[in-house]
Amino acid sequence: LIEQAAGQTEQSRKKKVAKLLELKARLGGDDGKHQFVLKTAKGTRDYNPKQMAIREKVFNTIISCFKRHGAETIDTPVFELKETLTGKYGEDSKLIYDLKDQGGELLSLRYDLTVPFARYLAMNKITNIKRYHIAKVYRRDNPAMTRGRYREFYQCDFDIAGQYDAMIPDAECLKIVYEILSQLDLGDFRIKVNDRRILDGMFAVCGVPDDKFRTICSTVDKLDKMPWEDVKKEMVNEKGLSEEAADQIGEYVSMQGGMDLAERLLQDQKMSQSKQACAGLSDIKLLFSYLQLFQVTDKVVFDLSLARGLDYYTGIIYEAVLSQAGVAPVSTEAQNGPPGEESVSVGSVAGGGRYDGLVGMFDPKGRKVPCVGVSIGIERIFSIMEQKAEASAEKVRTTEVQVMVASAQKNLLEERLKLVTELWNAGIKAEVMYKKNPKLLSQLQHCEESGIPLVAILGEQELKDGVVKLRVVATREEVDICRADLIEEVRRRTSDAS
Amino acid sequence: LIEQAAGQTEQSRKKKVAKLLELKARLGGDDGKHQFVLKTAKGTRDYNPKQMAIREKVFNTIISCFKRHGAETIDTPVFELKETLTGKYGEDSKLIYDLKDQGGELLSLRYDLTVPFARYLAMNKITNIKRYHIAKVYRRDNPAMTRGRYREFYQCDFDIAGQYDAMIPDAECLKIVYEILSQLDLGDFRIKVNDRRILDGMFAVCGVPDDKFRTICSTVDKLDKMPWEDVKKEMVNEKGLSEEAADQIGEYVSMQGGMDLAERLLQDQKMSQSKQACAGLSDIKLLFSYLQLFQVTDKVVFDLSLARGLDYYTGIIYEAVLSQAGVAPVSTEAQNGPPGEESVSVGSVAGGGRYDGLVGMFDPKGRKVPCVGVSIGIERIFSIMEQKAEASAEKVRTTEVQVMVASAQKNLLEERLKLVTELWNAGIKAEVMYKKNPKLLSQLQHCEESGIPLVAILGEQELKDGVVKLRVVATREEVDICRADLIEEVRRRTSDAS
């Protein structure tokens, strides 16, 4: 009993100490220093070396596609004058990050790369350019990081500006999406195509009042997340559209096809009454004829339900989606989105369209520069690639080191430094441990962990014989190589020698 | 006379019209739209395709050096919690860009890459890493854009974190600076080396009071911009140092040398009294022994006047400067800096040192992670490279297009699209004009302007014969190539075929 009582006292003492320690920890470190909150800002993240290796691989694939199509690249500052962004994003303007007024200009972080691009063209009076721009943009959105949605994220844009013959640059944008998604090997995909003019014409012939085009369009845009019944309800109950008009829209937006559908709709009694729709449909036909030559029609669908949100589109619009089958949730973290949203939102991996009016908004005389472009949804692609890497047995290498210079014996630091210098000077990617006398085992373990394929081992005997013992990490095979031949031998055995 | 009067009336009418037009232009465009101020934020700039091409080349050189030395890379967000940056930059904190408080966390744009790196290490409990990080940082400084000083600019950092044997990673940092500056071919350079402990020891033995070390150190730091007489005046008149102490400092800071100087100072009656100085001097000796093995001592100077400003350095410090001879002012714009500053400030192109305490500032328990690193002054290097490109006869290519698909006759758009598809699908970088019937001359002109080396010309005859006329732009030589052999032929003729 006494022991029990003593035990309880001991326990309560321990509790008190723990509470005090917790308090102390909250107040500061042992030396009374202020304790930092060790985190990144909400909705942002660091990229660790493994994520960077994946990111680099994805960027390389995308950039070489852009380069294959003859694109130049530009860069713009991360912040713009606040007024440059004003009036470009409608309701989403509230998501723009403003900088604090510290005297001087009022600045905001860029929200996308398209508006800075248009500002750049107008400011430099450029009327022709094919450029890509890969950079981070900023939105004070509700982050859903488990689904690859961040407040700081990459955009990866390719745009063609200039007055050209119809649909040729537009078709090349789709060719580029096709090439990138194929090469990234993300599984099957489809590219949906529509035209702002077809949407507007369709609304007109279905009896939607002019002033309701935009709001009805944004309801149609929800068709990939909501069943038609709910979309219709929103149109009729919330937006005051007549039931009849809604039903007519419903008929059109269920249509999908190719050039044939465009041809049929050009003959459609109702649709053919809209000049706008006919212009759009003729262009869709022309577009498909070019897509045939580009050999990409197997993935492209003319889909009348596609209605991208952004106001500035004036012609063709498109969006690429991954087929659901191949795509699992993009993170190992718990899903916190509404059920069902996941499977949809992860699907869209590229989008874009024609925006012939945006540059003119920046030109003092309103001179227009027609533009068409595509944005690759790179963050979603990163998420998928990271997940694939996680699932795969193959290790992601975070360095490209070809050979580790090691020794089995003591007091050979100088010899190791001499040899690694020879390798570096010959352009070989090489490493040496920063220890005077590292253990051979720890040197070999480092190679295993980092995926370094070769070890150049020095010992007294090797030095005397003028050789280096070259060890293949994977097979543990060892062979003496004449020192003069080492560089050639390393190059021969590692394909990526440079 | 009448004509003269009429002329005057006409002139005054024209003046009035011009004034009205000017007013109109200031008020807005033709359609009464608000007129935007078309500019980038103060101290920032766009990079045009030519500048990007140079930037890419410089980055490639630097990144392949980092990779050759086995570095991984990381990335951190452009903004950090404000408190993460607090107390790290001393007086320069006033240059930090804060974000507007829009609800939520208080954020600031990163001021350098070193503090985010330290935060990253502490947050992820990483004790060993060799990483590079190339990204933009932000300082509300007085921009001097003509001298390559911006408010948004790149930093390009390489750091080695971890507990290792003395001076081995430190020496590798210097090897890296040496390799990069040699490969960028910026002309002759020197790397000055000193040690924070030698500086502190020197101040102690010269009789500088402890509480004046930092301020005297910052005066010594001005020696590359001011003659010794002025530095001495500042020490004595402004900072209240005794004339005697100043003179003793003056003697030391005029010393330059190599390992021999370190040995001499270890025997120096005064200097040898400071334990700190002796530790630093021994390390300088050790450093030079490694630098000899790395074959870089021809450019490295032990210079007691080197005193880098940043508070967080704890050991070795270094700075690379270009020899004045080779460096002209960095811009074609008019110089607006104080006279004489130009020739000095353009010289420094890399700097760094050891900072063993910074990571511990972020660790709740103050656990230290020793670090040494170097920052490449990439903006200055861009400026110099741009200037060199400007001066050179050779044109900077902004795309890598290998072949232009062209036609001399009308109605061959489809054939051109078919051929360019074949080339793209084979990985050839190719372009086609976005016109139905472009003129051959304008197609050839585009090749001249963009530096495209080859033109694949299609005509009725070529189509009939199953060939393509391949034209070498530089020599105007033309040869018929069998269509099936075209890809191989293009690859053969362009070295960078991929």
Side-chain angles (χ1 to χ4, degrees):
Chain A
L1 243 167
I2 290 172
E3 267 184 36
Q4 209 183 336
Q8 278 174 349
T9 314
E10 174 66 12
Q11 232 180 341
S12 102
R13 198 188 62 82
K14 273 190 185 162
K15 265 191 198 165
K16 275 183 198 160
V17 170
K19 267 193 186 166
L20 281 170
L21 283 173
E22 196 194 309
L23 184 68
K24 191 176 169 192
R26 259 190 287 147
L27 288 173
D30 276 346
D31 43 6
K33 269 188 206 160
H34 170 68
Q35 179 160 5
F36 293 98
V37 181
L38 270 177
K39 68 183 287 291
T40 59
K42 185 181 175 189
T44 70
R45 59 163 169 177
D46 297 316
Y47 285 82
N48 64 33
K50 206 168 142 187
Q51 291 167 321
M52 287 299 279
I54 290 167
R55 178 174 124 177
E56 193 179 324
K57 210 182 128 204
V58 174
F59 279 159
N60 282 346
T61 304
I62 292 173
I63 291 172
S64 36
C65 177
F66 292 158
K67 286 189 174 176
R68 193 161 54 244
H69 287 264
E72 306 176 301
T73 187
I74 67 161
D75 195 14
T76 64
V78 81
F79 45 67
E80 294 276 345
L81 297 187
K82 187 174 165 56
E83 67 169 331
T84 297
L85 307 190
T86 303
K88 307 300 184 307
Y89 303 107
E91 274 196 9
D92 288 346
S93 293
K94 65 179 186 297
L95 303 182
I96 292 174
Y97 277 100
D98 291 329
L99 268 70
K100 190 169 156 184
D101 183 359
Q102 293 170 290
E105 300 159 331
L106 291 180
L107 306 173
S108 302
L109 297 188
R110 62 184 164 210
Y111 183 83
D112 65 9
L113 302 178
T114 310
V115 167
F117 176 55
R119 192 265 306 147
Y120 174 81
L121 294 186
M123 183 172 141
N124 297 287
K125 298 191 172 53
I126 294 166
T127 55
N128 284 282
I129 193 171
K130 177 161 59 178
R131 82 89 181 80
Y132 68 91
H133 189 189
I134 300 181
K136 286 175 177 174
V137 302
Y138 299 88
R139 298 184 184 179
R140 295 180 62 252
D141 214 337
N142 248 347
M145 315 217 292
T146 51
R147 277 170 286 144
R149 257 179 55 197
Y150 295 89
R151 289 182 160 197
E152 173 185 62
F153 59 97
Y154 271 97
Q155 280 200 340
C156 181
D157 285 14
F158 171 94
D159 295 83
I160 301 170
Q163 185 69 59
Y164 299 116
D165 283 326
M167 292 299 117
I168 314 178
D170 312 60
E172 188 173 13
C173 288
L174 297 182
K175 171 76 171 158
I176 281 171
V177 173
Y178 186 102
E179 286 183 14
I180 288 172
L181 295 183
S182 304
Q183 273 154 30
L184 288 174
D185 198 21
L186 299 168
D188 201 21
F189 60 90
R190 273 179 318 144
I191 308 174
K192 300 187 219 170
V193 174
N194 200 1
D195 192 296
R196 175 53 61 89
R197 293 163 298 171
I198 298 174
L199 280 166
D200 285 352
M202 175 183 83
F203 293 139
V205 300
C206 291
V208 178
D210 282 16
D211 61 347
K212 285 196 175 149
F213 278 18
R214 282 292 152 273
T215 184
I216 293 298
C217 191
S218 79
T219 306
V220 168
D221 198 23
K222 296 178 184 170
L223 265 175
D224 57 351
K225 294 182 194 119
M226 277 157 56
W228 165 249
E229 291 315 314
D230 295 346
V231 167
K232 183 182 164 184
K233 258 183 221 157
E234 186 176 310
M235 285 177 176
V236 175
N237 300 345
E238 287 176 38
K239 308 211 162 161
L241 199 65
S242 74
E243 183 123 356
E244 196 198 349
D247 283 338
Q248 286 183 15
I249 292 172
E251 233 167 86
Y252 284 121
V253 296
S254 69
M255 293 178 181
Q256 292 192 349
M259 197 191 278
D260 53 319
L261 176 59
E263 271 161 359
R264 224 168 61 229
L265 286 170
L266 274 170
Q267 310 302 323
D268 182 271
Q269 222 190 343
K270 234 190 239 302
M271 201 66 120
S272 59
Q273 286 166 17
S274 162
K275 244 176 136 173
Q276 262 206 312
C278 290
L281 289 165
S282 301
D283 272 351
I284 290 277
K285 271 184 63 182
L286 190 59
L287 177 74
F288 269 90
S289 74
Y290 296 147
L291 295 180
Q292 263 160 17
L293 298 167
F294 286 160
Q295 302 173 14
V296 298
T297 42
D298 58 318
K299 305 283 188 195
V300 184
V301 193
F302 172 32
D303 182 331
L304 275 90
S305 74
L306 178 69
R308 288 175 63 77
L310 279 169
D311 255 21
Y312 55 59
Y313 290 121
T314 54
I316 197 97
I317 50 177
Y318 36 83
E319 190 167 291
V321 291
L322 298 182
S323 304
Q324 308 298 327
V327 188
V330 294
S331 168
T332 51
E333 289 177 56
Q335 301 302 320
N336 56 7
E341 195 183 327
E342 181 61 30
S343 59
V344 173
S345 63
V346 89
S348 170
V349 286
R354 176 163 284 284
Y355 51 102
D356 289 348
L358 189 61
V359 179
M361 288 177 74
F362 287 102
D363 189 276
K365 296 201 173 143
R367 277 167 298 210
K368 287 187 178 179
V369 178
C371 294
V372 64
V374 62
S375 189
I376 308 295
I378 192 84
E379 296 289 342
R380 298 232 167 108
I381 294 172
F382 289 154
S383 292
I384 295 166
M385 299 300 269
E386 279 175 30
Q387 194 194 17
K388 277 175 80 171
E390 211 64 50
S392 146
E394 212 181 319
K395 228 182 137 166
V396 177
R397 282 200 69 180
T398 57
T399 77
E400 298 171 12
V401 176
Q402 297 163 287
V403 57
M404 170 91 179
V405 175
S407 64
Q409 294 147 341
K410 288 201 166 186
N411 301 320
L412 289 174
L413 173 62
E414 301 204 345
E415 291 298 337
R416 282 190 289 130
L417 295 185
K418 242 190 244 176
L419 181 56
V420 80
T421 301
E422 281 176 35
L423 294 169
W424 285 333
N425 290 354
I428 304 283
K429 292 164 194 142
E431 257 190 323
V432 67
M433 290 200 104
Y434 304 126
K435 297 268 183 189
K436 275 189 198 159
N437 298 307
K439 286 181 188 137
L440 184 62
L441 191 65
S442 68
Q443 295 172 85
L444 295 178
Q445 263 171 354
H446 175 72
C447 293
E448 297 265 8
E449 281 158 18
S450 320
I452 301 172
L454 298 171
V455 197
I457 303 175
L458 285 173
E460 297 294 352
Q461 193 59 47
E462 284 81 11
L463 287 168
K464 222 166 70 187
D465 298 347
V467 299
V468 171
K469 198 179 285 305
L470 198 63
R471 178 183 168 112
V472 180
V473 176
T475 62
R476 300 181 182 190
E477 166 207 354
E478 291 186 351
V479 54
D480 280 357
I481 306 283
C482 177
R483 180 106 173 205
D485 302 334
L486 180 66
I487 285 157
E488 266 323 300
E489 187 66 23
V490 171
R491 283 202 187 122
R492 204 180 59 72
R493 285 169 180 263
T494 53
S495 54
D496 63 331
S498 61
Chain B
L1 243 166
I2 290 172
E3 267 183 41
Q4 206 181 339
Q8 277 174 351
T9 315
E10 175 63 14
Q11 231 178 342
S12 102
R13 198 189 62 81
K14 272 189 187 163
K15 264 191 198 165
K16 274 182 199 162
V17 169
K19 266 192 189 166
L20 282 170
L21 283 173
E22 195 194 309
L23 186 66
K24 190 177 169 191
R26 259 189 286 150
L27 287 173
D30 277 346
D31 44 6
K33 271 188 208 159
H34 169 70
Q35 179 157 7
F36 293 97
V37 181
L38 271 178
K39 68 183 286 292
T40 59
K42 186 181 176 188
T44 69
R45 59 163 169 177
D46 298 316
Y47 285 82
N48 65 33
K50 205 167 142 187
Q51 292 167 322
M52 288 298 279
I54 291 167
R55 179 174 123 176
E56 194 179 325
K57 210 182 128 204
V58 174
F59 279 159
N60 283 346
T61 303
I62 292 172
I63 291 171
S64 36
C65 176
F66 292 157
K67 286 189 172 176
R68 193 161 55 243
H69 287 264
E72 307 176 300
T73 187
I74 68 162
D75 196 16
T76 64
V78 80
F79 44 69
E80 295 276 344
L81 297 187
K82 187 174 166 58
E83 65 169 333
T84 299
L85 307 191
T86 303
K88 307 298 183 307
Y89 303 108
E91 273 196 9
D92 288 346
S93 293
K94 66 178 186 295
L95 303 181
I96 292 174
Y97 277 99
D98 290 329
L99 267 70
K100 192 170 156 183
D101 183 359
Q102 294 170 289
E105 301 159 332
L106 290 180
L107 307 172
S108 302
L109 297 187
R110 62 183 163 212
Y111 183 84
D112 66 9
L113 302 178
T114 310
V115 167
F117 176 55
R119 192 266 306 147
Y120 174 82
L121 295 186
M123 184 171 141
N124 297 288
K125 298 191 172 52
I126 294 166
T127 55
N128 284 282
I129 192 170
K130 176 160 60 179
R131 82 89 182 78
Y132 68 91
H133 189 189
I134 299 181
K136 286 175 178 175
V137 302
Y138 299 87
R139 299 185 184 179
R140 295 180 62 251
D141 214 338
N142 248 346
M145 315 217 295
T146 51
R147 278 171 285 145
R149 256 179 57 197
Y150 295 89
R151 289 182 159 197
E152 173 185 62
F153 60 96
Y154 271 98
Q155 281 201 338
C156 181
D157 286 13
F158 172 94
D159 295 83
I160 302 171
Q163 186 69 58
Y164 299 116
D165 283 327
M167 293 298 116
I168 315 178
D170 313 58
E172 188 173 14
C173 288
L174 296 182
K175 170 77 172 160
I176 281 171
V177 173
Y178 186 101
E179 286 183 12
I180 288 172
L181 295 183
S182 303
Q183 271 153 31
L184 287 175
D185 198 20
L186 299 169
D188 200 20
F189 61 90
R190 272 179 320 145
I191 308 174
K192 300 188 219 169
V193 174
N194 199 1
D195 193 295
R196 175 53 61 90
R197 293 164 297 171
I198 298 174
L199 280 166
D200 285 352
M202 175 183 82
F203 292 139
V205 301
C206 292
V208 179
D210 282 16
D211 61 346
K212 284 196 174 148
F213 277 18
R214 282 291 151 274
T215 183
I216 293 298
C217 191
S218 79
T219 305
V220 168
D221 200 22
K222 296 180 184 169
L223 264 175
D224 57 351
K225 294 183 194 117
M226 276 158 54
W228 164 250
E229 290 316 313
D230 295 346
V231 168
K232 182 182 164 184
K233 258 184 220 155
E234 186 176 311
M235 286 179 177
V236 175
N237 301 345
E238 287 176 39
K239 308 210 162 162
L241 198 65
S242 72
E243 183 125 355
E244 197 198 346
D247 282 337
Q248 286 182 14
I249 291 173
E251 233 167 87
Y252 283 121
V253 296
S254 69
M255 293 179 181
Q256 291 192 351
M259 198 192 277
D260 52 317
L261 176 58
E263 272 162 0
R264 224 169 58 229
L265 286 170
L266 275 170
Q267 309 302 322
D268 182 271
Q269 222 190 344
K270 236 190 238 302
M271 202 66 120
S272 59
Q273 286 166 18
S274 161
K275 246 176 133 173
Q276 260 205 312
C278 289
L281 289 165
S282 301
D283 272 352
I284 290 278
K285 269 183 64 181
L286 189 60
L287 178 75
F288 268 90
S289 74
Y290 296 148
L291 295 179
Q292 262 160 18
L293 297 167
F294 285 160
Q295 302 173 14
V296 298
T297 41
D298 59 318
K299 306 282 187 196
V300 184
V301 191
F302 172 31
D303 182 331
L304 276 90
S305 74
L306 178 69
R308 287 174 65 77
L310 278 169
D311 256 21
Y312 54 60
Y313 290 121
T314 55
I316 198 99
I317 51 177
Y318 36 83
E319 190 167 290
V321 291
L322 297 182
S323 304
Q324 308 298 327
V327 189
V330 295
S331 168
T332 52
E333 289 178 56
Q335 300 302 322
N336 56 8
E341 195 182 327
E342 180 61 30
S343 59
V344 174
S345 65
V346 88
S348 170
V349 286
R354 177 163 284 282
Y355 51 102
D356 288 348
L358 189 61
V359 178
M361 288 176 72
F362 287 102
D363 189 275
K365 298 200 174 147
R367 278 167 298 208
K368 287 186 177 179
V369 177
C371 294
V372 63
V374 62
S375 188
I376 308 294
I378 192 85
E379 296 290 343
R380 298 235 166 108
I381 293 172
F382 289 154
S383 291
I384 295 166
M385 299 299 269
E386 278 175 32
Q387 193 194 17
K388 276 174 80 171
E390 210 65 49
S392 145
E394 211 181 321
K395 229 181 139 170
V396 177
R397 282 199 70 181
T398 58
T399 77
E400 299 171 11
V401 176
Q402 297 162 288
V403 58
M404 170 90 180
V405 175
S407 63
Q409 294 146 340
K410 288 202 168 185
N411 302 320
L412 289 174
L413 173 62
E414 301 205 346
E415 292 298 337
R416 282 190 289 131
L417 295 185
K418 243 190 243 175
L419 181 56
V420 79
T421 301
E422 281 176 36
L423 294 168
W424 285 334
N425 290 354
I428 303 282
K429 292 166 195 138
E431 256 191 323
V432 67
M433 289 201 105
Y434 304 126
K435 298 268 181 188
K436 277 188 198 159
N437 297 308
K439 288 183 185 133
L440 184 62
L441 191 65
S442 67
Q443 295 172 87
L444 295 179
Q445 263 171 354
H446 175 73
C447 293
E448 297 266 10
E449 281 159 17
S450 321
I452 301 172
L454 299 171
V455 196
I457 303 175
L458 285 174
E460 297 294 351
Q461 192 58 46
E462 285 81 13
L463 287 168
K464 223 166 65 188
D465 298 347
V467 298
V468 171
K469 197 179 287 303
L470 198 63
R471 179 184 168 112
V472 180
V473 176
T475 62
R476 299 179 183 191
E477 165 207 355
E478 290 187 348
V479 56
D480 279 357
I481 307 283
C482 177
R483 181 105 174 205
D485 302 333
L486 180 65
I487 284 156
E488 267 322 300
E489 186 66 22
V490 170
R491 283 202 187 122
R492 204 181 58 74
R493 284 170 181 262
T494 52
S495 54
D496 63 331
S498 61

